[in-house]
Short mmCIF file of all heavy atoms in Angstrom, two decimals:
data_model
loop_
_atom_site.label_atom_id
_atom_site.label_comp_id
_atom_site.label_asym_id
_atom_site.label_seq_id
_atom_site.Cartn_x
_atom_site.Cartn_y
_atom_site.Cartn_z
N MET S 1 94.75 135.40 72.17
CA MET S 1 95.03 134.09 72.75
C MET S 1 93.71 133.41 73.12
O MET S 1 92.93 133.96 73.90
CB MET S 1 95.89 134.27 74.01
CG MET S 1 96.39 132.94 74.55
SD MET S 1 97.48 133.16 75.98
CE MET S 1 96.28 133.46 77.27
N ALA S 2 93.47 132.27 72.54
CA ALA S 2 92.22 131.57 72.80
C ALA S 2 92.41 130.53 73.89
O ALA S 2 93.29 129.69 73.82
CB ALA S 2 91.72 130.90 71.53
N THR S 3 91.61 130.63 74.90
CA THR S 3 91.60 129.61 75.94
C THR S 3 90.17 129.13 76.12
O THR S 3 89.23 129.79 75.70
CB THR S 3 92.11 130.17 77.28
OG1 THR S 3 91.37 131.34 77.59
CG2 THR S 3 93.59 130.54 77.19
N LEU S 4 90.04 127.96 76.73
CA LEU S 4 88.70 127.44 76.98
C LEU S 4 88.22 127.93 78.35
O LEU S 4 88.90 127.79 79.35
CB LEU S 4 88.69 125.91 76.94
CG LEU S 4 88.68 125.29 75.54
CD1 LEU S 4 88.69 123.77 75.65
CD2 LEU S 4 87.48 125.75 74.73
N ILE S 5 87.04 128.51 78.33
CA ILE S 5 86.41 128.95 79.57
C ILE S 5 85.09 128.22 79.73
O ILE S 5 84.60 127.60 78.78
CB ILE S 5 86.16 130.47 79.56
CG1 ILE S 5 85.27 130.85 78.37
CG2 ILE S 5 87.49 131.22 79.52
CD1 ILE S 5 84.82 132.29 78.37
N SER S 6 84.51 128.29 80.89
CA SER S 6 83.19 127.70 81.11
C SER S 6 82.13 128.76 80.93
O SER S 6 82.23 129.83 81.52
CB SER S 6 83.11 127.10 82.51
OG SER S 6 83.95 125.99 82.63
N CYS S 7 81.15 128.43 80.11
CA CYS S 7 80.03 129.35 79.91
C CYS S 7 79.35 129.63 81.25
O CYS S 7 79.12 128.73 82.04
CB CYS S 7 79.02 128.76 78.92
SG CYS S 7 77.51 129.73 78.77
N ARG S 8 79.02 130.89 81.50
CA ARG S 8 78.43 131.22 82.80
C ARG S 8 76.99 130.76 82.90
O ARG S 8 76.42 130.72 83.98
CB ARG S 8 78.51 132.73 83.04
CG ARG S 8 77.62 133.55 82.14
CD ARG S 8 77.55 134.97 82.66
NE ARG S 8 78.08 135.93 81.69
CZ ARG S 8 78.31 137.20 81.98
NH1 ARG S 8 78.08 137.65 83.18
NH2 ARG S 8 78.80 138.01 81.08
N VAL S 9 76.38 130.43 81.75
CA VAL S 9 74.99 130.00 81.77
C VAL S 9 74.89 128.48 81.80
O VAL S 9 74.30 127.90 82.70
CB VAL S 9 74.22 130.56 80.56
CG1 VAL S 9 72.78 130.03 80.54
CG2 VAL S 9 74.22 132.09 80.60
N CYS S 10 75.52 127.81 80.80
CA CYS S 10 75.38 126.35 80.70
C CYS S 10 76.63 125.63 81.19
O CYS S 10 76.63 124.42 81.30
CB CYS S 10 75.06 125.94 79.27
SG CYS S 10 76.39 126.30 78.08
N GLU S 11 77.70 126.36 81.49
CA GLU S 11 78.92 125.82 82.07
C GLU S 11 79.63 124.82 81.17
O GLU S 11 80.43 124.01 81.62
CB GLU S 11 78.65 125.20 83.46
CG GLU S 11 78.17 126.25 84.44
CD GLU S 11 78.00 125.69 85.85
OE1 GLU S 11 77.89 124.46 85.97
OE2 GLU S 11 77.98 126.47 86.80
N LYS S 12 79.34 124.85 79.86
CA LYS S 12 80.06 124.03 78.90
C LYS S 12 81.29 124.79 78.41
O LYS S 12 81.30 126.03 78.47
CB LYS S 12 79.16 123.67 77.71
CG LYS S 12 78.09 122.64 78.09
CD LYS S 12 77.13 122.41 76.94
CE LYS S 12 76.05 121.41 77.36
NZ LYS S 12 74.96 121.30 76.39
N PRO S 13 82.34 124.07 77.95
CA PRO S 13 83.56 124.77 77.50
C PRO S 13 83.31 125.62 76.27
O PRO S 13 82.71 125.15 75.30
CB PRO S 13 84.54 123.63 77.21
CG PRO S 13 83.69 122.43 77.01
CD PRO S 13 82.47 122.61 77.86
N VAL S 14 83.77 126.87 76.30
CA VAL S 14 83.61 127.82 75.21
C VAL S 14 84.96 128.50 74.99
O VAL S 14 85.67 128.79 75.95
CB VAL S 14 82.55 128.90 75.54
CG1 VAL S 14 82.31 129.80 74.35
CG2 VAL S 14 81.26 128.25 76.00
N SER S 15 85.32 128.77 73.73
CA SER S 15 86.53 129.54 73.46
C SER S 15 86.38 130.95 74.01
O SER S 15 85.32 131.55 73.90
CB SER S 15 86.78 129.60 71.95
OG SER S 15 87.78 130.56 71.67
N SER S 16 87.45 131.46 74.60
CA SER S 16 87.38 132.83 75.13
C SER S 16 87.26 133.85 74.01
O SER S 16 86.92 135.01 74.26
CB SER S 16 88.62 133.13 75.98
OG SER S 16 89.79 133.05 75.17
N ASN S 17 87.55 133.46 72.77
CA ASN S 17 87.40 134.36 71.63
C ASN S 17 85.98 134.38 71.11
O ASN S 17 85.63 135.23 70.29
CB ASN S 17 88.32 133.94 70.48
CG ASN S 17 89.77 134.34 70.75
OD1 ASN S 17 90.05 135.09 71.67
ND2 ASN S 17 90.68 133.81 69.96
N ALA S 18 85.15 133.42 71.54
CA ALA S 18 83.80 133.31 71.01
C ALA S 18 82.97 134.52 71.42
O ALA S 18 83.03 134.96 72.56
CB ALA S 18 83.13 132.04 71.52
N LYS S 19 82.22 135.07 70.45
CA LYS S 19 81.37 136.21 70.74
C LYS S 19 80.10 135.78 71.46
O LYS S 19 79.42 136.58 72.08
CB LYS S 19 81.00 136.94 69.45
CG LYS S 19 82.18 137.60 68.75
CD LYS S 19 82.64 138.85 69.47
CE LYS S 19 83.72 139.58 68.69
NZ LYS S 19 84.99 138.83 68.75
N PHE S 20 79.75 134.48 71.30
CA PHE S 20 78.59 133.96 72.02
C PHE S 20 78.81 132.48 72.27
O PHE S 20 79.64 131.85 71.61
CB PHE S 20 77.29 134.19 71.23
CG PHE S 20 77.33 133.56 69.86
CD1 PHE S 20 76.87 132.25 69.68
CD2 PHE S 20 77.82 134.26 68.78
CE1 PHE S 20 76.91 131.67 68.42
CE2 PHE S 20 77.87 133.68 67.51
CZ PHE S 20 77.41 132.39 67.34
N CYS S 21 78.10 131.91 73.21
CA CYS S 21 78.22 130.50 73.52
C CYS S 21 77.56 129.67 72.42
O CYS S 21 76.39 129.88 72.11
CB CYS S 21 77.55 130.22 74.86
SG CYS S 21 77.52 128.47 75.29
N PRO S 22 78.28 128.72 71.80
CA PRO S 22 77.69 127.89 70.74
C PRO S 22 76.70 126.86 71.29
O PRO S 22 75.96 126.26 70.53
CB PRO S 22 78.91 127.21 70.11
CG PRO S 22 79.94 127.19 71.19
CD PRO S 22 79.69 128.42 72.03
N HIS S 23 76.68 126.66 72.57
CA HIS S 23 75.79 125.66 73.18
C HIS S 23 74.43 126.25 73.53
O HIS S 23 73.39 125.69 73.22
CB HIS S 23 76.44 125.07 74.43
CG HIS S 23 77.80 124.49 74.17
ND1 HIS S 23 77.98 123.31 73.48
CD2 HIS S 23 79.03 124.94 74.49
CE1 HIS S 23 79.28 123.07 73.40
NE2 HIS S 23 79.94 124.04 73.99
N CYS S 24 74.44 127.39 74.20
CA CYS S 24 73.17 127.95 74.67
C CYS S 24 72.88 129.32 74.06
O CYS S 24 71.81 129.87 74.26
CB CYS S 24 73.16 128.04 76.19
SG CYS S 24 74.30 129.28 76.85
N GLY S 25 73.87 129.93 73.35
CA GLY S 25 73.62 131.21 72.69
C GLY S 25 73.84 132.41 73.58
O GLY S 25 73.56 133.54 73.17
N GLU S 26 74.34 132.21 74.80
CA GLU S 26 74.64 133.34 75.69
C GLU S 26 75.61 134.29 75.00
O GLU S 26 76.64 133.87 74.48
CB GLU S 26 75.24 132.80 77.00
CG GLU S 26 75.85 133.85 77.90
CD GLU S 26 74.86 134.89 78.38
OE1 GLU S 26 73.67 134.57 78.49
OE2 GLU S 26 75.29 136.03 78.62
N LYS S 27 75.28 135.59 74.97
CA LYS S 27 76.06 136.54 74.18
C LYS S 27 77.42 136.84 74.78
O LYS S 27 78.36 137.20 74.08
CB LYS S 27 75.26 137.85 74.03
CG LYS S 27 74.14 137.72 73.01
CD LYS S 27 73.67 139.09 72.57
CE LYS S 27 72.66 138.97 71.44
NZ LYS S 27 71.37 138.45 71.93
N SER S 28 77.57 136.76 76.10
CA SER S 28 78.87 136.98 76.73
C SER S 28 79.14 135.88 77.74
O SER S 28 78.86 136.06 78.92
CB SER S 28 78.92 138.36 77.38
OG SER S 28 77.80 138.55 78.22
N PRO S 29 79.65 134.75 77.24
CA PRO S 29 79.81 133.58 78.11
C PRO S 29 80.92 133.71 79.14
O PRO S 29 80.97 132.92 80.07
CB PRO S 29 80.10 132.44 77.13
CG PRO S 29 80.69 133.12 75.94
CD PRO S 29 80.03 134.46 75.87
N GLU S 30 81.79 134.73 78.99
CA GLU S 30 82.91 134.85 79.92
C GLU S 30 82.41 135.16 81.33
O GLU S 30 81.75 136.18 81.54
CB GLU S 30 83.86 135.96 79.48
CG GLU S 30 84.67 135.59 78.26
CD GLU S 30 85.64 136.70 77.90
OE1 GLU S 30 86.46 137.07 78.76
OE2 GLU S 30 85.58 137.19 76.78
N PRO S 31 82.71 134.33 82.29
CA PRO S 31 82.18 134.53 83.63
C PRO S 31 82.92 135.58 84.45
O PRO S 31 82.38 136.14 85.37
CB PRO S 31 82.31 133.16 84.29
CG PRO S 31 83.43 132.51 83.55
CD PRO S 31 83.43 133.07 82.15
N TYR S 32 84.18 135.87 84.10
CA TYR S 32 84.99 136.73 84.96
C TYR S 32 85.19 138.12 84.38
O TYR S 32 85.90 138.93 84.96
CB TYR S 32 86.35 136.09 85.20
CG TYR S 32 86.24 134.72 85.79
CD1 TYR S 32 86.74 133.62 85.12
CD2 TYR S 32 85.62 134.54 87.02
CE1 TYR S 32 86.62 132.36 85.66
CE2 TYR S 32 85.50 133.28 87.57
CZ TYR S 32 86.00 132.19 86.89
OH TYR S 32 85.89 130.95 87.41
N LYS S 33 84.59 138.42 83.23
CA LYS S 33 84.84 139.68 82.54
C LYS S 33 84.49 140.87 83.41
O LYS S 33 85.29 141.76 83.62
CB LYS S 33 84.02 139.71 81.25
CG LYS S 33 84.57 140.64 80.19
CD LYS S 33 83.78 140.43 78.91
CE LYS S 33 84.37 141.25 77.78
NZ LYS S 33 83.67 141.06 76.52
N ASP S 34 83.25 140.89 83.95
CA ASP S 34 82.81 142.03 84.75
C ASP S 34 83.62 142.13 86.04
O ASP S 34 83.99 143.21 86.46
CB ASP S 34 81.32 141.88 85.07
CG ASP S 34 80.46 142.04 83.83
OD1 ASP S 34 80.99 142.59 82.84
OD2 ASP S 34 79.30 141.60 83.84
N THR S 35 83.89 140.97 86.64
CA THR S 35 84.67 140.96 87.88
C THR S 35 86.03 141.58 87.65
O THR S 35 86.49 142.41 88.43
CB THR S 35 84.83 139.52 88.38
OG1 THR S 35 83.55 138.92 88.48
CG2 THR S 35 85.50 139.51 89.75
N LEU S 36 86.68 141.21 86.54
CA LEU S 36 88.00 141.74 86.22
C LEU S 36 87.92 143.24 85.99
O LEU S 36 88.76 144.00 86.46
CB LEU S 36 88.57 141.03 84.99
CG LEU S 36 89.98 141.47 84.57
CD1 LEU S 36 90.99 141.05 85.62
CD2 LEU S 36 90.35 140.83 83.23
N ARG S 37 86.90 143.67 85.27
CA ARG S 37 86.76 145.10 84.96
C ARG S 37 86.60 145.90 86.26
O ARG S 37 87.26 146.89 86.47
CB ARG S 37 85.53 145.31 84.06
CG ARG S 37 85.44 146.74 83.54
CD ARG S 37 84.14 146.94 82.76
NE ARG S 37 83.99 146.01 81.66
CZ ARG S 37 82.84 145.73 81.07
NH1 ARG S 37 81.74 146.29 81.49
NH2 ARG S 37 82.79 144.88 80.07
N TYR S 38 85.73 145.44 87.15
CA TYR S 38 85.53 146.16 88.40
C TYR S 38 86.75 146.06 89.29
O TYR S 38 87.05 146.99 90.04
CB TYR S 38 84.29 145.62 89.13
CG TYR S 38 83.00 146.06 88.47
CD1 TYR S 38 82.11 145.14 87.96
CD2 TYR S 38 82.72 147.42 88.37
CE1 TYR S 38 80.94 145.54 87.34
CE2 TYR S 38 81.55 147.84 87.76
CZ TYR S 38 80.65 146.89 87.24
OH TYR S 38 79.52 147.30 86.63
N GLY S 39 87.49 144.96 89.18
CA GLY S 39 88.73 144.84 89.94
C GLY S 39 89.74 145.86 89.50
O GLY S 39 90.38 146.53 90.32
N LEU S 40 89.87 146.05 88.18
CA LEU S 40 90.80 147.05 87.65
C LEU S 40 90.35 148.45 88.03
O LEU S 40 91.17 149.30 88.37
CB LEU S 40 90.89 146.92 86.12
CG LEU S 40 91.68 145.72 85.61
CD1 LEU S 40 91.54 145.59 84.10
CD2 LEU S 40 93.14 145.84 85.98
N LEU S 41 89.04 148.69 87.99
CA LEU S 41 88.51 150.00 88.36
C LEU S 41 88.81 150.28 89.83
O LEU S 41 89.27 151.38 90.16
CB LEU S 41 86.99 150.02 88.11
CG LEU S 41 86.31 151.38 88.30
CD1 LEU S 41 86.78 152.35 87.23
CD2 LEU S 41 84.80 151.22 88.24
N GLY S 42 88.59 149.31 90.67
CA GLY S 42 88.89 149.47 92.09
C GLY S 42 90.37 149.73 92.31
O GLY S 42 90.74 150.60 93.10
N PHE S 43 91.22 149.01 91.58
CA PHE S 43 92.67 149.20 91.69
C PHE S 43 93.05 150.61 91.27
O PHE S 43 93.84 151.28 91.93
CB PHE S 43 93.37 148.17 90.81
CG PHE S 43 94.87 148.26 90.88
CD1 PHE S 43 95.56 147.81 91.99
CD2 PHE S 43 95.59 148.79 89.82
CE1 PHE S 43 96.94 147.89 92.06
CE2 PHE S 43 96.97 148.87 89.87
CZ PHE S 43 97.64 148.42 90.99
N ALA S 44 92.46 151.11 90.17
CA ALA S 44 92.75 152.46 89.68
C ALA S 44 92.33 153.49 90.72
O ALA S 44 93.04 154.46 90.97
CB ALA S 44 92.02 152.71 88.36
N VAL S 45 91.17 153.29 91.35
CA VAL S 45 90.69 154.22 92.38
C VAL S 45 91.67 154.24 93.55
O VAL S 45 92.02 155.31 94.06
CB VAL S 45 89.28 153.81 92.85
CG1 VAL S 45 88.90 154.57 94.12
CG2 VAL S 45 88.26 154.08 91.75
N ILE S 46 92.15 153.08 93.96
CA ILE S 46 93.10 153.00 95.07
C ILE S 46 94.39 153.75 94.72
O ILE S 46 94.93 154.51 95.53
CB ILE S 46 93.39 151.53 95.42
CG1 ILE S 46 92.16 150.90 96.09
CG2 ILE S 46 94.60 151.43 96.36
CD1 ILE S 46 92.22 149.40 96.22
N VAL S 47 94.89 153.55 93.47
CA VAL S 47 96.12 154.23 93.04
C VAL S 47 95.91 155.75 93.07
O VAL S 47 96.77 156.50 93.55
CB VAL S 47 96.53 153.76 91.63
CG1 VAL S 47 97.62 154.66 91.06
CG2 VAL S 47 97.02 152.32 91.69
N VAL S 48 94.77 156.23 92.57
CA VAL S 48 94.48 157.67 92.55
C VAL S 48 94.43 158.21 93.98
O VAL S 48 94.99 159.27 94.28
CB VAL S 48 93.16 157.95 91.80
CG1 VAL S 48 92.70 159.38 92.05
CG2 VAL S 48 93.34 157.68 90.32
N VAL S 49 93.78 157.49 94.88
CA VAL S 49 93.68 157.92 96.28
C VAL S 49 95.07 158.02 96.89
O VAL S 49 95.39 158.99 97.58
CB VAL S 49 92.80 156.93 97.08
CG1 VAL S 49 92.94 157.18 98.59
CG2 VAL S 49 91.34 157.08 96.66
N ILE S 50 95.94 157.03 96.62
CA ILE S 50 97.30 157.05 97.15
C ILE S 50 98.07 158.24 96.59
O ILE S 50 98.77 158.95 97.32
CB ILE S 50 98.02 155.72 96.83
CG1 ILE S 50 97.41 154.60 97.68
CG2 ILE S 50 99.52 155.84 97.10
CD1 ILE S 50 97.90 153.22 97.30
N LEU S 51 97.92 158.50 95.27
CA LEU S 51 98.62 159.63 94.65
C LEU S 51 98.16 160.96 95.27
O LEU S 51 98.98 161.83 95.56
CB LEU S 51 98.37 159.64 93.13
CG LEU S 51 99.14 158.59 92.33
CD1 LEU S 51 98.70 158.60 90.88
CD2 LEU S 51 100.64 158.83 92.43
N VAL S 52 96.86 161.11 95.46
CA VAL S 52 96.34 162.34 96.08
C VAL S 52 96.87 162.46 97.50
O VAL S 52 97.29 163.54 97.94
CB VAL S 52 94.78 162.32 96.07
CG1 VAL S 52 94.23 163.44 96.96
CG2 VAL S 52 94.27 162.45 94.65
N PHE S 53 96.90 161.36 98.23
CA PHE S 53 97.40 161.35 99.60
C PHE S 53 98.86 161.79 99.63
O PHE S 53 99.25 162.64 100.44
CB PHE S 53 97.25 159.93 100.16
CG PHE S 53 97.57 159.85 101.63
CD1 PHE S 53 96.71 160.38 102.58
CD2 PHE S 53 98.73 159.23 102.06
CE1 PHE S 53 97.01 160.29 103.93
CE2 PHE S 53 99.03 159.14 103.41
CZ PHE S 53 98.16 159.68 104.35
N VAL S 54 99.68 161.23 98.73
CA VAL S 54 101.10 161.60 98.66
C VAL S 54 101.25 163.08 98.31
O VAL S 54 102.07 163.80 98.89
CB VAL S 54 101.83 160.70 97.63
CG1 VAL S 54 103.22 161.24 97.33
CG2 VAL S 54 101.91 159.28 98.16
N PHE S 55 100.42 163.55 97.37
CA PHE S 55 100.47 164.95 96.97
C PHE S 55 100.15 165.86 98.15
O PHE S 55 100.83 166.86 98.39
CB PHE S 55 99.47 165.19 95.82
CG PHE S 55 99.43 166.62 95.36
CD1 PHE S 55 100.41 167.11 94.51
CD2 PHE S 55 98.41 167.47 95.79
CE1 PHE S 55 100.37 168.43 94.09
CE2 PHE S 55 98.37 168.78 95.37
CZ PHE S 55 99.35 169.26 94.53
N VAL S 56 99.11 165.52 98.92
CA VAL S 56 98.70 166.33 100.08
C VAL S 56 99.81 166.33 101.12
O VAL S 56 100.13 167.36 101.71
CB VAL S 56 97.37 165.79 100.66
CG1 VAL S 56 97.09 166.42 102.03
CG2 VAL S 56 96.23 166.06 99.69
N ILE S 57 100.40 165.17 101.38
CA ILE S 57 101.50 165.08 102.35
C ILE S 57 102.65 165.98 101.91
O ILE S 57 103.19 166.76 102.72
CB ILE S 57 101.98 163.61 102.47
CG1 ILE S 57 100.89 162.74 103.09
CG2 ILE S 57 103.27 163.55 103.30
CD1 ILE S 57 100.59 163.03 104.54
N ASN S 58 103.02 165.93 100.64
CA ASN S 58 104.10 166.78 100.13
C ASN S 58 103.74 168.26 100.26
O ASN S 58 104.57 169.08 100.61
CB ASN S 58 104.38 166.45 98.66
CG ASN S 58 105.20 165.18 98.51
OD1 ASN S 58 105.95 164.82 99.42
ND2 ASN S 58 105.05 164.51 97.39
N TYR S 59 102.48 168.58 99.98
CA TYR S 59 102.03 169.97 100.05
C TYR S 59 102.10 170.49 101.48
O TYR S 59 102.48 171.64 101.73
CB TYR S 59 100.59 170.05 99.51
CG TYR S 59 100.03 171.45 99.49
CD1 TYR S 59 100.40 172.34 98.48
CD2 TYR S 59 99.14 171.86 100.47
CE1 TYR S 59 99.89 173.62 98.47
CE2 TYR S 59 98.63 173.15 100.46
CZ TYR S 59 99.01 174.03 99.46
OH TYR S 59 98.51 175.29 99.45
N LEU S 60 101.75 169.65 102.44
CA LEU S 60 101.71 170.07 103.83
C LEU S 60 103.11 170.22 104.43
O LEU S 60 103.34 171.08 105.27
CB LEU S 60 100.93 169.05 104.67
CG LEU S 60 99.42 169.03 104.45
CD1 LEU S 60 98.78 167.90 105.26
CD2 LEU S 60 98.79 170.36 104.85
N PHE S 61 104.06 169.41 103.95
CA PHE S 61 105.36 169.37 104.61
C PHE S 61 106.45 170.14 103.87
O PHE S 61 107.53 170.31 104.41
CB PHE S 61 105.79 167.90 104.81
CG PHE S 61 105.07 167.24 105.95
CD1 PHE S 61 103.89 166.55 105.70
CD2 PHE S 61 105.55 167.33 107.25
CE1 PHE S 61 103.21 165.93 106.75
CE2 PHE S 61 104.87 166.73 108.29
CZ PHE S 61 103.69 166.02 108.04
N TYR S 62 106.14 170.60 102.64
CA TYR S 62 107.21 171.31 101.92
C TYR S 62 106.72 172.69 101.50
O TYR S 62 105.80 172.84 100.81
CB TYR S 62 107.66 170.50 100.70
CG TYR S 62 108.32 169.21 101.10
CD1 TYR S 62 107.61 168.02 101.02
CD2 TYR S 62 109.63 169.18 101.58
CE1 TYR S 62 108.19 166.82 101.41
CE2 TYR S 62 110.21 167.98 101.97
CZ TYR S 62 109.50 166.82 101.89
OH TYR S 62 110.08 165.65 102.27
ZN1 ZN W 101 76.41 128.39 77.25
#
């Protein structure tokens, strides 16, 4: 799905499918890519912590 995003360097509209910005040549113009990746990583860590917590609670009480 192609959407228009703003290049993180020159802030001109770039297709999200573009491998590089056609205006300034920035190789990864997507501004939110890293943020999303770290957000998912943080979410996964939280889920794992909750699962371990639930496992420990079950182990202690049963
Ligand atoms: Zn650009």
Side-chain angles (χ1 to χ4, degrees):
M1 189 177 78
T3 53
L4 281 179
I5 58 173
S6 292
C7 173
R8 69 168 118 190
V9 176
C10 65
E11 297 185 340
K12 288 174 182 170
V14 185
S15 168
S16 62
N17 284 349
K19 294 286 186 288
F20 58 91
C21 175
H23 305 287
C24 69
E26 168 62 28
K27 284 197 174 72
S28 51
E30 287 183 57
Y32 303 119
K33 203 172 185 178
D34 291 342
T35 306
L36 182 67
R37 188 186 303 161
Y38 286 119
L40 286 172
L41 187 67
F43 181 74
V45 167
I46 289 168
V47 168
V48 167
V49 167
I50 290 171
L51 285 174
V52 168
F53 187 73
V54 168
F55 178 80
V56 167
I57 293 292
N58 282 334
Y59 182 78
L60 288 176
F61 284 92
Y62 294 102

